Amino acid sequence: MSTLKHKGKGPQSLTANELREGLNVWMTEDLTWSRDFKDAMTTEDPDVMERMKHRGDTDEADNLVVGVYFIDIEPETGLPARYREKFRAKGPSIDTADLVEGS
Amino acid sequence: MYRYDEFDAQIVAERVAQFRRQVERRLDGRLSEAEFRPLRLMNGLYLQLHAYMMRVAIPYGTLSSRQLRQLAMIADKYDKGYGHITTRQNIQYNWPELIDVPDLLNDLAEVEMHGFQTSGNCIRNVTSDPYAGATADEIEDPRPTAELLRQWSTLHPEFAFLPRKFKIAVTASPNDRAVIKAHDIGIEIVKNDDGDVGYHIIVGGGLGRTPIIGQTVRAFLPREELLPYLEAILRVYNRFGRRDNKYKARIKILVTETGIEEFTRMVDEEYAQLKPLDIAVSPEEVARITAYFADPDYETLDNEPKAYLSEIASNRDFALWVDSNIAAHKQAGYAIVNISLKPLDRAPGDITSAQMRKVADLADEYSFGEIRTTHQQNMILPHVKQSDLPVLFKELQKAGLAEDNIGMITDIICCPGMDFCALATARSIPVSQAIAERFSDPERERAIGEMQIKISGCINACGHHHVGHIGILGLEKAGVEFYQVKLGGDASENAAVGKVTGPGFSQEELVDGIERMVDFYLDQRGEGERFIDTYNRLGMEPFKEVLYVD
Ligand code: SF4
C-alpha cells in the first residue's frame, strides 16, 4: 500500500480497502466508495483533493476503510499509472472462482 | 495421523476466542489498523492485492479426509469455492471477509486446524517429505520429528519475535523431496556408522532475494539432543541476527557473514550453557508421538497384481498416468498416488471445493483417509492398493484430477504473483499457463522427461525460481512486465542455485526462448540425461546462445 512510487502529480484518484470485507475501493464523485474503478473520481484540483483526503481520513478513522492513498492516473487512458494499481483496478487476470460451478 | 491433545485443542480454542474479540475491537475502533495488523497476521490473515487472504497451516503437509472436507466447506462458506496449495504445503483462501474470519477459524478449529505460524517472524509451519511414512527410501517416518518440532515451536515465547521468519523442513530420505537445503534449518534423519538414528542439521539455507544453500552445522546429532540443539541455534540467531536491516535479517545472512565454523562454535558455546535435559524429550514421549504415525493396516498383498498389469497393457492413458504420477510404496502391492493440481486451465496449485471433497472421498475409499499436500503444489494419496489404481484413475479423470504430468515440464511451481499478491512485481500464473500450453503435447512432454520450471512474481521467491532447472522471475519496468531467466537450479539433494542468463524477456519471447532451449537439450542430450544433467555437462553458454538467438 505504499504511496512512495506515486508521483502525486497530474490526475489523482483515491483508493483504499474496505475494512470489513477487504475489497479494493475507489472514491467516487459524491465522496463515497465504489468497488468498481470505473466509478472513481479523478481530479487535479487541489481543493477537491483536499476534500477527498479529508473524507478518506474520516472514513479510515470511522473504521470503514483501511490504507487510504492517492494514485496517479494516466491522463490519456484514465487508468491508474502504476502497473500494480492497474491490477488492483482490473482484478486478477485468472481466478479459479470463474471455473467453480454456480459462481 | 497425529491428533491434537487437550493442550493443542485448548490453545486453538482460546486463540479463536481471542481473535474474535480482537476483530470486534478493530471494527469498533478500539484497535487501530497498526495495532490490529500484527494480530491478524499471527492468525494467518493477510491483506493482499484485492482482498484479505487466509493462510491455513497444514503441518508437514498431512491432512485427513475429514480435514479436507472441512477445508472444502470453508471454501464454499467463506470464500469463492476453491483454495490454493502453497509451496510450503499450506492452503490459502483468496477472498475471505474480515467479519467472517472468527467463524472461519472456529470451523478450522473443529478439525484441529488454524493459521498460526503462517506469517510473522516466528518459526513457521514445519514442512516435510510428502511421501513420509509411505516411501521405501526413508530411514524412518520424518513426521514424528516434524510433529515434535510443531509442538516445541507452537507459540514458543522466546522465538515469537525473531529477527525474521524461520522455516524448518525435515526429511528422512536421501532423496530430498522437501528442499531442506533451502530452509533456515534443514533436518535430515540419518543413520551413523553404529546404526544409530540421529539428525544431520543444515543451517542457513534460503531463497528470497539472497539465495543460499544451507551448510552443515552438525553432521550427526543424537536423537535426544534435537530440541536443545535447535534451541541453541535459535538463540544465537535471535541474539545476533541482523534486526537492523530486514533484507539481512534471515539466519542465512548471519551464517554467511559469520562463517559456518564460527557460527558452529557460537552454537556449541550456547549449547554448552543450556542444560540439555531441560527441554530434551524423553524416549517415552518420542514413542508416544511416533505411535500416532503408525502404519495403517495394510493388507498382505503381492506386488503388481495381474489385473493392474493388464490394465497398464491395455489402457494407454492409464499406463501414462502410472508412469508419471505413481511412486513406489514401501508396502508390497501399494502405491503412492500423486494428484496433479496443474491442469492447463487452472492456476498451479488451485483446487475447487468439489475436487477437495472428491479427493477426501477417494482417500476414504482407497488411502486410509489420508492425504498429503506437496511443496510442488500437488496432492498425494499416500497408501493406495495397486489393484485399486485403475478405478481410482477413472474417478480422478471424472473429477478433472488425472493430469499425468508430475515432475514434467508442465508441472510448474508458480506463486500467485501479481494476480493476487500485494508484493508482486509481475504476474506469474499467465506465464506458467503459456509455458504449459506450449508444451501441452503429451508425447513431447514425455520426450522431454523430468523438468522443473519454477516461477516467482517477485524477488521474494515463493515460487522457488532459484532452484528451478529453469527459474523465472517476474519483474516490471515502466509498467511493462519482463521475465528474468535462471538456469541450473536444483531443488533436490544436489541443491544448487541457478544462474541468471542475462537481460529479461517479454512473456512471448520467454516462452519461445524456453522452447529453443528445450529443443537444444533434446538435440544434445546423452543417454538418460535430464535437462539439468545436460545443462550441467555443457554449462550455460550454449543454452544462453539459443535463448538469446533473436
Ligand atoms: S514471490 Fe513475490 S509475488 Fe510471489 S507470492 Fe511471494 S511475495 Fe508474492
Side-chain angles (χ1 to χ4, degrees):
Chain A
M1 254 174 299
S2 158
T3 59
L4 289 178
K5 287 190 186 161
H6 289 278
K7 296 196 180 86
K9 286 191 194 140
Q12 303 281 303
S13 290
L14 194 68
T15 186
N17 284 79
E18 295 169 343
L19 173 64
R20 296 166 69 87
E21 291 83 4
L23 297 178
N24 298 334
V25 284
W26 294 267
M27 187 168 277
T28 62
E29 294 208 338
D30 57 3
L31 302 187
T32 58
W33 299 96
S34 170
R35 291 179 180 176
D36 191 340
F37 175 75
K38 285 207 285 297
D39 303 331
M41 164 164 55
T42 297
T43 183
E44 291 189 64
D45 182 335
D47 293 339
V48 178
M49 282 173 61
E50 193 50 48
R51 263 187 289 142
M52 290 166 83
K53 178 160 185 337
H54 180 256
R55 182 55 192 260
D57 290 347
T58 308
D59 287 350
E60 187 151 24
D62 288 345
N63 310 305
L64 298 173
V65 293
V66 287
V68 178
Y69 60 102
F70 279 104
I71 56 172
D72 297 341
I73 301 294
E74 293 168 348
E76 320 80 53
T77 63
L79 294 173
R82 270 196 70 208
Y83 178 69
R84 177 182 190 278
E85 293 303 324
K86 282 194 172 71
F87 266 92
R88 283 183 76 243
K90 225 170 29 181
S93 52
I94 166 165
D95 186 2
T96 299
D98 300 333
L99 301 171
V100 174
E101 263 173 56
S103 70
Chain B
M1 274 181 60
Y2 188 75
R3 295 191 58 89
Y4 276 9
D5 57 24
E6 67 272 26
F7 297 111
D8 292 302
Q10 188 186 343
I11 290 171
V12 176
E14 284 175 359
R15 181 61 91 77
V16 174
Q18 184 187 53
F19 191 61
R20 190 180 292 283
R21 293 193 299 271
Q22 289 163 346
V23 170
E24 274 167 22
R25 286 190 282 148
R26 176 67 191 101
L27 293 177
D28 69 19
R30 279 178 287 162
L31 285 176
S32 68
E33 186 61 17
E35 290 164 330
F36 179 65
R37 188 173 173 274
L39 302 175
R40 68 166 158 73
L41 288 172
M42 281 164 81
N43 290 285
L45 186 65
Y46 290 68
L47 185 53
Q48 285 286 20
L49 194 64
H50 309 291
Y52 290 107
M53 179 272 278
M54 178 73 212
R55 185 178 292 156
V56 178
I58 302 178
Y60 34 89
T62 294
L63 277 174
S64 69
S65 54
R66 177 171 160 261
Q67 289 173 320
L68 187 53
R69 265 188 214 100
Q70 190 81 341
L71 292 175
M73 186 279 282
I74 286 170
D76 286 337
K77 189 169 166 190
Y78 304 109
D79 210 88
K80 293 192 179 177
Y82 73 98
H84 171 76
I85 305 299
T86 76
T87 52
R88 302 212 69 252
Q89 299 180 287
N90 294 325
I91 187 165
Q92 289 179 184
Y93 297 108
N94 286 331
W95 303 98
E97 299 184 354
L98 176 62
I99 44 176
D100 286 338
V101 172
D103 290 341
L104 186 161
L105 291 177
N106 206 42
D107 288 345
L108 277 178
E110 271 178 20
V111 293
E112 308 173 332
M113 297 185 83
H114 55 71
F116 303 177
Q117 289 162 283
T118 61
S119 173
N121 295 338
C122 58
I123 301 174
R124 298 289 187 90
N125 183 40
V126 176
T127 56
S128 188
D129 182 354
Y131 290 180
T135 177
D137 66 14
E138 68 189 9
I139 286 174
E140 63 179 26
D141 188 338
R143 289 173 305 161
T145 295
E147 171 56 23
L148 185 64
L149 296 176
R150 184 192 72 77
Q151 295 189 18
W152 163 71
S153 65
T154 298
L155 309 186
H156 192 307
E158 192 177 335
F159 305 138
F161 296 99
L162 293 165
R164 208 62 185 93
K165 57 187 162 185
F166 202 91
K167 299 175 182 175
I168 303 178
V170 190
T171 185
S173 166
N175 302 307
D176 182 7
R177 288 173 288 260
V179 212
I180 59 169
K181 289 182 185 160
H183 281 74
D184 296 283
I185 290 181
I187 300 176
E188 183 188 7
I189 298 175
V190 290
K191 250 188 203 157
N192 68 8
D193 293 343
D194 297 332
D196 297 327
V197 174
Y199 301 107
H200 172 203
I201 308 289
I202 296 160
V203 70
L207 299 175
R209 66 177 60 216
T210 317
I212 293 176
I213 299 300
Q215 304 177 70
T216 297
V217 60
R218 185 69 94 82
F220 186 86
L221 182 73
R223 196 192 275 283
E224 61 281 7
E225 295 185 41
L226 181 66
L227 293 189
Y229 193 74
L230 294 196
E231 191 106 356
I233 294 177
L234 264 298
R235 281 189 172 184
V236 169
Y237 170 54
N238 210 7
R239 184 155 160 220
F240 296 107
R242 295 276 304 267
R243 286 178 190 269
D244 61 313
N245 182 339
K246 184 176 164 191
Y247 301 121
K248 297 194 168 174
R250 296 288 289 266
I251 195 172
K252 61 190 172 187
I253 304 295
L254 177 65
V255 173
T256 309
E257 286 184 351
T258 318
I260 187 69
E261 290 81 17
E262 175 62 9
F263 181 80
T264 307
R265 192 197 60 72
M266 286 155 71
V267 170
D268 287 342
E269 193 176 279
E270 180 67 34
Y271 187 52
Q273 296 193 15
L274 285 171
K275 278 193 232 129
L277 290 181
D278 268 354
I279 62 157
V281 174
S282 68
E284 293 74 32
E285 178 60 8
V286 170
R288 187 189 72 83
I289 293 176
T290 305
Y292 283 105
F293 297 93
D295 281 343
D297 290 331
Y298 297 124
E299 292 172 37
T300 307
L301 301 168
D302 286 335
N303 227 3
E304 306 200 320
K306 266 204 197 108
Y308 166 64
L309 292 179
S310 70
E311 186 72 11
I312 290 178
S314 63
N315 180 345
R316 185 168 156 72
D317 287 347
F318 177 69
L320 291 176
W321 177 75
V322 166
D323 184 50
S324 54
N325 290 37
I326 301 303
H329 200 284
K330 66 180 180 184
Q331 181 75 14
Y334 283 81
I336 299 169
V337 176
N338 286 276
I339 299 174
S340 168
L341 301 183
K342 314 288 174 63
L344 267 183
D345 64 345
R346 194 77 52 80
D350 279 11
I351 178 166
T352 67
S353 56
Q355 290 177 322
M356 289 185 218
R357 280 190 200 94
K358 185 72 188 177
V359 172
D361 291 348
L362 294 173
D364 280 341
E365 182 83 23
Y366 301 112
S367 183
F368 300 94
E370 207 182 298
I371 302 112
R372 308 286 172 78
T373 51
T374 79
H375 84 267
Q376 304 268 12
Q377 302 176 288
N378 294 312
M379 281 187 169
I380 284 172
L381 296 178
H383 315 290
V384 180
K385 280 194 255 179
Q386 289 171 334
S387 57
D388 285 336
L389 289 175
V391 53
L392 174 68
F393 176 61
K394 288 199 185 88
E395 293 290 330
L396 289 171
Q397 276 182 315
K398 280 192 242 160
L401 289 166
E403 203 69 35
D404 54 359
N405 60 355
I406 294 292
M408 296 199 278
I409 193 164
T410 62
D411 182 9
I412 297 169
I413 288 190
C414 176
C415 80
M418 186 62 100
D419 283 305
F420 293 98
C421 179
L423 302 174
T425 42
R427 284 177 297 171
S428 47
I429 299 170
V431 177
S432 105
Q433 287 183 316
I435 296 170
E437 182 77 42
R438 181 68 62 92
F439 293 98
S440 58
D441 172 2
E443 298 297 331
R444 188 181 182 203
E445 179 163 31
R446 274 177 198 274
I448 297 164
E450 186 192 322
M451 166 70 113
Q452 298 195 350
I453 295 186
K454 302 182 198 281
I455 309 174
S456 302
C458 82
I459 202 159
N460 289 322
C462 305
H464 293 189
H465 68 279
H466 297 300
V467 289
H469 298 170
I470 298 178
I472 298 163
L473 168 63
L475 296 165
E476 178 230 333
K477 198 166 185 188
V480 180
E481 292 166 314
F482 70 99
Y483 296 90
Q484 201 180 63
V485 175
K486 281 193 147 189
L487 294 176
D490 193 335
S492 75
E493 55 283 3
N494 307 313
V497 171
K499 290 199 181 69
V500 178
T501 55
F505 302 90
S506 70
Q507 181 181 310
E508 260 167 53
E509 292 167 341
L510 172 75
V511 180
D512 290 343
I514 289 176
E515 188 166 34
R516 286 193 299 274
M517 288 197 295
V518 168
D519 287 342
F520 175 74
Y521 146 69
L522 288 173
D523 186 55
Q524 297 289 318
R525 72 174 165 191
E527 183 70 25
E529 271 185 352
R530 303 165 303 159
F531 178 90
I532 185 71
D533 302 323
T534 306
Y535 173 85
N536 285 336
R537 177 168 56 81
L538 297 178
M540 180 183 279
E541 276 316 307
F543 284 89
K544 208 169 144 178
E545 257 169 49
V546 294
L547 179 63
Y548 289 95
V549 76
D550 286 346

